[in-house]
Each structure stands twice: as C-alpha cells, then as structure tokens.
Amino acid sequence: MSTELLAPLDLAFWHLESDAHPMHLGALAVFAPTPGAGPRRILGLLADRAAAIPRLRMRVRDVLLPVGGAAWAVDKDFDVHRHVEHVPVGDGDFMAEATRLAGELMERPLGRGLPPWRMYLLCGADGAPFAVLVKLHHALADGLRAVAIGAGIFDEIAAVTSARATSRSLPPVAPRSWLPDPREMAGMALGRIGEVGRALGVGASVVRAGRLGLWSPSAFTAPSSGTRRLATADLDAGDLQRMRRTEGGTANDILLAVVAGALRRWMAGRGETLPMADPRALVPVSRRRPGGAATGNRLSAYLLGLPVTEADPRARLRAVRRAMDRNKAAGPLRGAGAVAVLADQLPPLAHRFGAPLAANAARVLFDVLVTSVPLPRSALSLGGCPLTALYPMAPLARGQSLAVALTPYGGRVHVGLVADGKALPDLDRLAAAVGEEFTELYALVTGTDRAPVS
C-alpha cells in the first residue's frame, strides 16, 4: 500500500491527544436556506463531496521505520457515511442551539482507526437556516490546510475539482515509502546534522522565553475536563479596515487588541482582580511556502503579552502593535512560540514517548491561543444555499481554557471561541465583550460613535 509519513509536527499532534483531551480543530459554517434544500439533499451533497476529497480517505497507521513513526495510508474500507451525520436542531434561537450542539460534538474524540474527520449537518425545519460543523484532527491539517480541504464541500470549489477528484482514488501528493532509498541515506545523515544544530538553536530560544519558575495559574489555565463550550461574535470588516488606515499597523494587531480588551472586560464582569502580569497569547504563524508541500502542519508562532492591565483601549492597541513589530523583526524561530519548529526537528520516537511530558508544557509557555484563518474572498454556497458566516474553532492545548480564532468573510470578521466547558461556563459573556470592545475602540480611533452591530 502506498503511504506518506506523518511530518514530525503532525506526529506530535497525533500523540498529544487522549480520549479526555481531543486534538481536533473545526469550523461552524452557517447557511441561508433556499427552496428545496432539505436535510436529505444537503446531507447527500456533503457525503458526495467529502468522498471526492482524496485527503479525507486517509487514515493513520504505524510503520516499522522510522521507529516510532506513523504514516497516512488510504483506507481500503472507507465509507463516507461513517463520517457525515445529521443532527436535528430544536426550536428557538438557531445560533444559540447550533453553538450548544457544536460544543457537545467538539467534545467527542475522533476514531483513531478511521480517517480522522467528521461533518455534522445541524438543521431544524425546512426553510430555516442550517449549519455544517466540520471537525479535522490537527494531525491532518493546520488552519490553512483545513480551509483548503474543507472548501471542497462548497459549490464553487466542487464544480472546478469534481472531475479531477473523482477520477483518482489516491491523494494528490506523491506517496512516500517508510523505507528510504539507500542512495538517499548519506544525504539524510548530513541533513540530520544540520537539523540537530538548528534544533539546538530553536530549543535554546524556547527555554529562554519560557516561564519556568515564574508561571502561576490564571483564569485561562485549568485542568482539562474534556468538555467544550463554543461562542461566536461578529465584527464589521469595513470598520476594521478604517481603524487600520487611521491607526496604522495591521488588521491582526487590531483584532489582538480587541481580544485583550475583551478579556479585561470579561474579568472585570466576573469580579476578578487583574493579573500582576499580562497573560500570554500564542499567535500561530504559517511557514507554508507558495508552491511548497501541500500536506502536513507548517507552523511556528509568536508570543504576545496581551495588555489586559492597560486601561486605555487605544494604548492597548499601540502596545500590541509594538510587540508584534518586535516579534516580526525577530522572526518565527525565536521565543517559546517556536516550539512547533522544534517539534519538526525531533525524531518520531521522541514524539511517541515524550507526548505525556509535552502535553503539560503548554500552560508554562502561554495562556491563550489567538489565531486568524483566511478564507477565499469569493462568495460560497452549498447546494445553492449561500454561506452567511463561518466561525473557525481552534484546538485547546492541555491545561488551557480558551482558544480564539477569527476569519474574515462577506464583509464581516467571524470570531469563534472555544473553551473548556467547566472552566469557562460564561463564555457567552466573553463573546459579548469582544463586540463591546470593538465598538469602543472604533469610536476612539475614528472619532465617531457609529459602530458595528454584532
């Protein structure tokens, strides 16, 4: 059977998972209804299009070499109906009920003997909005790759790729044997020497930026309960760009400042004392190069102290901008955020046996994950039903209570918040604080009281 070895970072994500702590990411896509688009038809479309995506036919299996390694292999017994499910949504507020159900579904671990993904159609009566929850194991894809894979369900993408996708059963990557060609061994040995030197440099940077001896628990770190709660917020992308043009920096700087301000508001609403030191955010950075390998996670990250102790929203924004400018000047191979790069340099056996130790390290390095995920700019639909919103859902590291993901689409920035359900039962308050903070920052930066409505 043709196989493709898991990249080192993918292998790390695979071994970091447990039944009590799943390591999958996701997205909740919301659609407006059109006549004739009932659950049976939409579920059939999802199944047909998912089955036509070669990557979704792959499962993980162990290999003999390298020791401790694993590989992607085509599942000979693949049945798409094991992966696509209709979940009825009750009457009442559709988004409230859909996000509640999505949180429960995100708690469920993915079967490790099958291709590691699921899709759920969340809908109620005919003629009402519906949503699709997509779950992908983090070993299968990072955020950018997940978008590329998941986009195959949309009408516009499926129309272009269906003929090509249905004409082959293997993934669109060159399969690689788990046993290297003897002629490659010398080159591999020299390459490993270089990788060891690089790993030492990255590892030293991670240790220097870590908080060993200085770390203390915060509102955002707690023992993992395995439960999940989701919440969403919507921001106006046009107003975001107006702030960027007025204040300078990047749109991402503004969104990070909004998250910092929202956390401050939320903590104040809880009656919590502000921390002595600002909580750390891990801000993922893609290392995927144009024309490079399409598979595997290609990530590093920046670390950012979210200035929740700063009372002035505009001063928070400027603090974020200065810190991110320093991060970009140093590059993604410096700081504790480079731990993902370090994982790329470790042998498979280290990931297999070091996972229990590494699983508890995240809380020492950072407090909350904040990531931005791009989407295609064109309008998307499923079965003729227009996509109205897409909320990305980032995975939670062990011991972390909160992850925030943002994506622009259709003139809005959609914010998906994922929390440990027991540690943050009031996640809806935090989602509301995101909109409130955006409103206040917009008024301060632009000098107008007009602000977006979530």
Side-chain angles (χ1 to χ4, degrees), residues 392-403:
M393 303 295 174
L396 285 181
R398 193 185 302 271
Q400 310 271 266
S401 302
L402 176 67

Side-chain angles (χ1 to χ4, degrees), residues 38-334:
R40 181 175 298 180
R41 177 170 176 264
I42 297 299
L43 196 68
L45 277 176
L46 282 176
D48 291 345
R49 290 175 181 177
I53 300 172
R55 195 71 189 167
L56 297 184
R57 293 174 170 265
M58 306 290 281
R59 67 178 183 88
V60 176
R61 69 178 184 89
D62 292 335
V63 295
L64 295 176
L65 293 175
V67 177
W72 294 107
V74 175
D75 184 0
K76 291 187 196 178
D77 301 318
F78 177 75
D79 180 357
V80 72
H81 297 100
R82 294 177 178 175
H83 300 265
V84 180
E85 181 181 345
H86 174 212
V87 179
V89 175
D91 297 332
D93 186 320
F94 172 77
M95 278 305 302
E97 183 67 7
T99 52
R100 183 191 67 79
L101 285 171
E104 295 177 1
L105 295 169
M106 288 291 283
E107 291 178 7
R108 300 180 186 177
L110 292 162
R112 293 176 75 84
L114 299 172
W117 65 273
R118 293 295 298 268
M119 290 184 189
Y120 302 93
L121 172 62
L122 310 178
C123 63
D126 288 354
F130 65 91
V132 174
L133 175 67
V134 180
K135 286 177 19 179
L136 299 171
H137 197 285
H138 209 343
L140 181 64
D142 55 24
L144 289 177
R145 183 61 180 157
V147 169
I149 292 173
I153 70 170
F154 295 116
D155 299 338
E156 295 75 12
I157 310 299
V160 174
T161 61
S162 59
R164 183 172 64 233
T166 55
S167 67
R168 61 179 179 234
S169 59
L170 293 178
V173 294
R176 185 172 63 186
S177 170
W178 50 265
L179 186 62
D181 190 306
R183 293 170 296 181
E184 299 176 359
M185 292 299 289
M188 289 175 64
L190 291 173
R192 288 304 298 171
I193 292 173
E195 289 172 3
V196 169
R198 185 182 179 210
L200 289 173
V202 173
S205 180
V206 170
V207 170
R208 286 195 300 270
R211 297 181 294 183
L212 295 173
L214 301 176
W215 174 82
S216 59
S218 73
F220 320 112
T221 56
S224 297
S225 70
T227 61
R228 292 292 180 268
R229 186 172 179 83
L230 308 184
T232 63
D234 293 273
L235 311 174
D236 189 284
D239 287 347
L240 176 65
Q241 291 304 322
R242 278 186 280 277
M243 280 194 277
R244 183 191 61 79
R245 288 193 295 268
T246 301
E247 189 68 22
T250 68
N252 201 48
D253 294 342
I254 295 170
L255 293 172
L256 287 166
V258 167
V259 171
L263 291 174
R264 179 185 172 90
R265 287 172 181 268
W266 172 72
M267 293 176 73
R270 279 182 145 206
E272 291 188 13
T273 303
L274 292 175
M276 295 292 293
D278 289 328
R280 271 184 171 181
L282 189 77
V283 184
V285 179
S286 176
R287 295 187 294 126
R288 198 174 296 283
R289 296 178 180 177
T295 58
N297 282 271
R298 298 292 297 165
L299 291 173
S300 185
Y302 295 132
L303 281 175
L304 172 70
L306 292 171
V308 301
T309 55
E310 171 57 60
D312 179 22
R314 203 163 187 179
R316 281 197 294 269
L317 172 55
R318 291 171 178 173
V320 166
R321 180 182 172 186
R322 289 192 300 270
M324 288 302 289
D325 285 346
R326 288 194 298 269
N327 274 331
K328 292 167 189 174
L333 301 185
R334 294 291 180 266

Side-chain angles (χ1 to χ4, degrees), residues 27-30 93-100 102-103 133 229-235 389-393 403-405 413-419 427-435 454:
L28 184 65
V30 183
D93 186 320
F94 172 77
M95 278 305 302
E97 183 67 7
T99 52
R100 183 191 67 79
L133 175 67
R229 186 172 179 83
L230 308 184
T232 63
D234 293 273
L235 311 174
L390 191 143
Y391 301 99
M393 303 295 174
V404 182
V413 177
H414 304 291
V415 185
L417 300 100
V418 179
L427 188 64
D428 289 340
R429 289 186 182 182
L430 179 56
V434 170
S454 296

